[in-house]
């Protein structure tokens, strides 16, 4: 908070210097700090320019920046964005479909890329994606490209904290080729107000990144709460409240022939998961022509769940049936996985089944431990049941699954 008091002091004393051609948009408070307010038009280029020029850009609480052009804020060094107000993207779908920043990975486009070294975005304000028009359009066009709300791209030593992320058209956060990235106290809400759901609004997707930490956040959305895509290493996703999501997900991995996917060292603890498809999940493709990879050293602990379809899942036969999975097992090996201290209730969508560990044949899952499991289905389904195939399970809840060495 040192900077804030310094800024206030300077503001009180110094005449403000205008940087932008149209007066009053960017005001220099001192050598390092600028205040950015709305221009009435497209604030995108002014915002990008301000971040390049000023070590700290302050967006005051009463300001809503309207962003009508993609913001490429990559290649920055030592920058702070103190977002107290709102950054709102326009709902001009034609523009964004043709001008969003393109990522080949899963055919994605993005509104805003932040990258470089030693960056901080904070301040209690909001990023608003005007998602409703996209949710409605996607209902009649399932190939519609929809922009990711906020992308951290080729970045290191980044802190994103105390920010609201509202109604992203698609994924909310994408961490692509990042190292040492912390997200703390992020509130995500992507909820449709029409009959058309807010689809694919993943809270976080992590890809080709190392040491990403997500803490103390509330997520209300319509797809994965946190998803570890290929090459996510040393990741923590903890102290989260997820509602309406598809869970904390490792994968899907091993989708593409010739590609090797790694997830290693992942911890997720103290997660509250409600009204979700999954609680904790690891998912890898099987079938002809799939890729390969490894999931190693993953720990899910202290999950409290309510109304969750599949509270605890490994699916190493994703997109196949048992026959096909036996013929074409997954080449993504899954090793050293701990599920411990799971509480709560399933939705009954899987009747009495509350946990499922389905592995490909030939010992492709190993060292899978399950302990302290207190999950129940809704009362109408009776006692909880547990399913498994092709896996030796250890831990004090292994007995619940019975003999899983074959199907
Ligand atoms: C974004 O900006 C960086 C740094 O200025 C530049 O190298 C890169 O080509 C830009 N990317 C796009 C997609 O415009
Ligand atoms: C939307 O963007 C297109 C350019 O892609 C532009 O021609 C059109 O005027 C914009 N519409 C609005 C309402 O701003
Ligand atoms: C769906 O949206 C894409 C743009 O992402 C567009 O190219 C395509 O023509 C649309 N399809 C239909 C059926 O409107
Ligand atoms: C996020 O939600 C929590 C709990 O409701 C609240 O205390 C916090 O101020 C919110 N943070 C932001 C940035 O809105
Ligand atoms: C949680 O999600 C459910 C269904 O997805 C929704 O009805 C409910 O309003 C959400 N709760 C909160 C606190 O947003
Ligand atoms: C993951 O990392 C490994 C080892 O560096 C590399 O061979 C592989 O191509 C990477 N996979 C992806 C999807 O980037
Ligand atoms: C497993 O990952 C955790 C962090 O998630 C790390 O502390 C631990 O050392 C790792 N264990 C091994 C055997 O690599
Ligand atoms: C996983 O954690 C262990 C123990 O800290 C470390 O030795 C190993 O390098 C980590 N793996 C990766 C891929 O970073
Ligand atoms: C399993 O999947 C294969 C390939 O899609 C299909 O040919 C076969 O009929 C399926 N078997 C069963 C029992 O559903
Ligand atoms: C289970 O363990 C036994 C004894 O080590 C081993 O022979 C068997 O292959 C294992 N089965 C699986 C599915 O890992
Ligand atoms: C449910 O479990 C209880 C306690 O283990 C047992 O007494 C009861 O018979 C079981 N009920 C059914 C329907 O299996």
């Amino acid at each position: 908070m040192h900077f804030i008091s310094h800024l206030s002091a300077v503001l009180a004393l110094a005449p403000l210097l205008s940087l932008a051609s149209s007066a009053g948009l960017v005001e220099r408070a001192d050598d390092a700090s600028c205040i950015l307010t709305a221009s009435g038009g497209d604030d995108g280029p002014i915002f990008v320019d301000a971040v390049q020029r000023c070590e700290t850009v302050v967006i005051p609480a009463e300001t809503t920046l309207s962003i009508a052009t993609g913001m490429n804020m990559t290649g920055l060094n030592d920058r702070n964005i103190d977002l107290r107000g709102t950054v709102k993207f326009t709902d001009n779908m034609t523009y964004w479909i043709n001008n969003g920043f393109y990522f080949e990975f899963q055919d994605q486009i993005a509104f805003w890329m932040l990258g470089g070294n030693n960056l901080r975005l904070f301040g209690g304000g909001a990023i608003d994606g005007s998602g409703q028009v996209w949710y409605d359009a996607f209902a009649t066009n399932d190939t519609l490209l929809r922009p990711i709300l906020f992308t951290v791209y080729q970045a290191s030593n980044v802190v994103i904290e105390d920010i609201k992320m509202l109604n992203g058209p698609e994924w909310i956060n994408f961490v692509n080729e990042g190292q040492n990235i912390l997200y703390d106290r992020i509130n995500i809400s992507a909820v449709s107000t029409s009959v058309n759901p807010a689809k694919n609004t993943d809270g976080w997707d992590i890809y080709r990144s190392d040491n990403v930490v997500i803490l103390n956040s509330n997520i209300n959305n319509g797809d994965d709460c946190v998803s570890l895509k290929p090459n996510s290493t040393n990741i923590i996703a903890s102290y989260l409240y997820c509602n309406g999501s598809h869970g904390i997900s490792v994968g899907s991995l091993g989708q593409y022939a010739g590609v090797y996917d790694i997830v290693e060292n992942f911890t997720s603890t103290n997660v509250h998961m409600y009204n979700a498809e999954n609680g904790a999940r690891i998912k890898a493709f099987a079938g002809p022509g799939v890729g390969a990879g490894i999931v190693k050293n993953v720990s899910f602990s202290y999950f409290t769940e309510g109304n969750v379809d599949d509270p605890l899942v490994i699916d190493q036969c994703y997109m196949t049936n048992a026959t096909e999975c036996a013929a074409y097992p997954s080449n993504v090996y899954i090793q050293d996985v701990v599920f411990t201290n799971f509480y709560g209730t399933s939705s009954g969508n899987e009747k009495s089944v509350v946990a499922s560990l389905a592995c490909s044949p030939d010992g492709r899952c190993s060292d899978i431990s399950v302990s302290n499991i207190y999950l129940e289905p809704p009362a109408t389904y009776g006692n909880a049941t547990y399913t498994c195939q092709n896996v030796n399970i250890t831990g004090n809840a292994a007995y619940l699954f019975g003999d899983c060495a074959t199907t």
Side-chain angles (χ1 to χ4, degrees), residues 8 61 87 157 159 182 274 289 294 298 321 400:
S8 314
V87 171
N157 306 313
V159 175
L182 170 66
Y274 296 99
I294 184 124
V298 170
N321 58 36
L400 296 169

Side-chain angles (χ1 to χ4, degrees), residues 187-272:
N187 291 346
I188 292 173
S189 176
V191 177
S192 175
T193 55
S194 75
V195 294
N196 305 311
K199 285 215 173 138
N200 310 114
T201 47
D202 300 13
W204 282 264
D205 284 284
I206 303 168
Y207 178 60
R208 292 183 173 165
S209 294
D210 184 56
N211 194 17
V212 178
V213 176
I214 301 167
L215 299 175
N216 306 316
S217 294
N218 298 301
I219 301 94
N220 198 13
N221 69 340
D223 208 307
D224 293 332
C225 190
V226 176
S227 183
L228 276 63
K229 303 296 190 198
N231 290 18
S232 294
T233 51
N234 304 301
I235 312 291
I236 295 174
S238 297
Y239 305 96
L240 304 180
Y241 183 101
C242 308
N243 183 52
S245 80
H246 293 184
I248 307 289
S249 204
V250 172
S252 310
L253 300 176
Q255 183 168 9
Y256 302 107
V259 179
Y260 194 80
D261 295 342
I262 299 170
V263 170
E264 185 171 336
N265 300 348
F266 174 43
T267 299
S268 182
T269 190
N270 284 276
V271 172
H272 289 258

Side-chain angles (χ1 to χ4, degrees), residues 42 71 85 130 185 192 205 213 221 234 331 356 395:
D42 176 15
M71 295 197 293
S130 299
R185 291 172 288 124
S192 175
D205 284 284
V213 176
N221 69 340
N234 304 301
N331 297 314
S356 169

Side-chain angles (χ1 to χ4, degrees), residues 117-195:
N117 182 45
N118 195 21
L119 312 173
R120 191 163 160 242
L121 168 66
F122 62 102
I127 305 171
D128 184 336
S130 299
Q132 191 63 46
V133 292
W134 298 92
Y135 310 149
D136 291 334
F138 188 70
T140 57
N141 179 359
D142 67 4
T143 63
L144 182 70
L145 282 171
R146 295 155 294 158
I148 299 165
L149 185 67
F150 184 67
T151 301
V152 169
Y153 181 51
Q154 296 184 335
S156 53
N157 306 313
V158 175
V159 175
I160 315 287
E161 61 187 346
D162 192 21
I163 294 288
K164 288 185 272 287
M165 299 185 174
L166 308 174
N167 294 324
E170 207 236 18
W171 296 354
I172 307 301
N173 287 286
F174 185 30
V175 190
N176 185 345
E177 298 175 17
Q179 291 92 41
N180 310 331
I181 317 288
L182 170 66
Y183 293 85
D184 193 7
R185 291 172 288 124
I186 306 298
N187 291 346
I188 292 173
S189 176
V191 177
S192 175
T193 55
S194 75
V195 294

Side-chain angles (χ1 to χ4, degrees), residues 63-78:
T63 293
T64 295
L65 299 179
S66 174
I67 309 299
T69 45
M71 295 197 293
N72 177 359
M73 294 188 190
T74 56
L76 299 171
N77 279 298
D78 308 315

